[in-house]
Amino acid sequence: MQSKAMALKNKVQSIVVTTMWRKNAFLVSSSRTFATGYDDNRILKSPSSLVSLDFPDVWNYSSSTNCTESSTHKLASDHTARVIDGKQVSEEIISNVATEVTRMKKTIGEVPGLGVILVGERKDSLTYVRNKITACEEAGIKFKLAEFSDNCTEDEVCDAIMRFNADPSFHGILVQLPLPQHLNEEKILNVVKLEKDVDGFHPVNMGNLAMRGREPLFVPCTPKGCVELLIRYGVEIMGKKAVVIGRSNIVGLPASLLLQRHHATVTIVTALTPNPEEITRDADILISGVGVPNMVRGSWVKPGAVVVDVGTYPIEDKSCEQGYRLIGDVCYEEASRVASLITPVPGGVGPMTVAMLLYNTLESATRKYNFV
């Protein structure tokens, strides 16, 4: 009797495992098709729904007493990585956004609106805001800037955000970060209405990004831009080892969450991580966003890896129009001799952040007006 019960139990388990495997295989196939076989009419090539990427984890380990040592393939010394041109991709996306904005205006007489809060006169923040204004003008998006001095109060900033919250012609609100130290960043960002949080930093948006089966209203712009570049350059994310250097709320944390939603195996390197170069050398995809110039050397990069440099650090240079130039976390000259693909600084992730901001603002307006 007991043997019959055991046999029945094994049979049921076999059916369940087989069903799960088939479902898993189907969803993996569907996910890959979604990521690469996109509709040309869509603005972005990345999936429009993160839930569409979800499928159940099926752990399938095979044990063996024998193992073989794999050799590390060394690239030729004259190798140069292919450059990921974020500027070109961002221009394509902004052009597509502009087309949709024009169609929205002709169809329903409305255009997306973006309100931006700028506190202080940091050179890099001024440059970023200037770029956003230019991009909004190109795309036909309404733009309004609320500027404050370095010594402004939290109440002044919060009042400006609340005015944008109440104005139905503004569908997105962005607080340019970082803020001066005397201002409570968390308190200020929490004032932004969830449905206008086009930066994706609201705790609800971040929480929904972290949880499978949940859909954030907005994904933070910089990580979203990084993944869009990977997809457009044909980089396989699913099943790959990804290392994210830094765990900031702006880049590191959401980048790691988004990569996990795309089924990468993700490791985060922090300032307290011992021997970080040993971890990064194992990465198929390496994303760094800590703002430490040239921290990531060529020896940190696995041969053939994809390197995405989010870090920006201003270096005084009187020959440049702004009086300074930007360099990244990655020592570009060294890493480009090892990596297969690499983003430059500037011209890599930066323009994509702006493009994703415009895309999120368009999405917000589309959602409000039920515009199809």
Side-chain angles (χ1 to χ4, degrees), residues 331-342:
C331 183
Y332 185 86
E333 292 76 13
E334 293 181 7
S336 62
R337 297 192 185 102
V338 184
S340 60
L341 288 163
I342 190 169

Side-chain angles (χ1 to χ4, degrees), residues 54-130:
D54 291 344
F55 57 82
D57 286 330
V58 178
W59 301 97
N60 184 20
Y61 282 102
S62 58
S63 59
S64 173
T65 56
N66 299 320
C67 61
T68 57
E69 183 178 354
S70 60
S71 60
T72 302
H73 177 63
K74 299 293 184 183
L75 298 180
S77 59
D78 60 350
H79 166 83
T80 303
R82 183 183 175 197
V83 176
I84 298 176
D85 192 341
K87 188 172 185 298
Q88 180 183 342
V89 173
S90 69
E91 288 172 352
E92 293 174 4
I93 292 170
I94 292 172
S95 175
N96 290 334
V97 168
T99 300
E100 284 300 292
V101 171
T102 300
R103 189 171 70 87
M104 177 182 287
K105 186 175 183 180
K106 289 180 179 179
T107 305
I108 63 174
E110 301 285 355
V111 297
L114 176 65
V116 175
I117 308 290
L118 175 62
V119 182
E121 297 182 354
R122 281 179 57 114
K123 290 182 179 179
D124 53 347
S125 291
L126 289 170
T127 299
Y128 299 148
V129 169
R130 216 168 25 238

Side-chain angles (χ1 to χ4, degrees), residues 113-120 125-133 136 142-148 160 163-164 170 172 174-176:
L114 176 65
V116 175
I117 308 290
L118 175 62
V119 182
S125 291
L126 289 170
T127 299
Y128 299 148
V129 169
R130 216 168 25 238
N131 292 341
K132 289 163 186 173
I133 293 174
C136 283
K142 177 182 176 181
F143 186 97
K144 185 174 182 180
L145 176 64
E147 294 184 85
F148 298 93
R163 287 194 292 273
F164 283 133
F170 289 97
L174 177 144
V175 179
Q176 184 63 48

Side-chain angles (χ1 to χ4, degrees), residues 339-367:
S340 60
L341 288 163
I342 190 169
T343 60
V345 176
V349 176
M352 290 297 294
T353 300
V354 176
M356 293 302 102
L357 173 65
L358 269 59
Y359 177 83
N360 282 355
T361 303
L362 171 64
E363 283 286 284
S364 181
T366 299
R367 192 178 294 124

Side-chain angles (χ1 to χ4, degrees), residues 214-259:
R214 301 291 183 90
E215 197 76 65
L217 289 177
F218 307 101
V219 174
C221 300
T222 299
K224 188 171 183 173
C226 291
V227 169
E228 180 68 16
L229 285 176
L230 294 176
I231 291 172
R232 283 180 177 251
Y233 275 78
V235 177
E236 181 73 28
I237 303 175
M238 183 181 293
K240 298 299 182 180
K241 294 181 181 178
V243 171
V244 178
I245 304 177
R247 52 179 169 178
S248 70
N249 289 337
I250 300 173
V251 179
L253 173 61
S256 65
L257 295 174
L258 188 56
L259 287 167

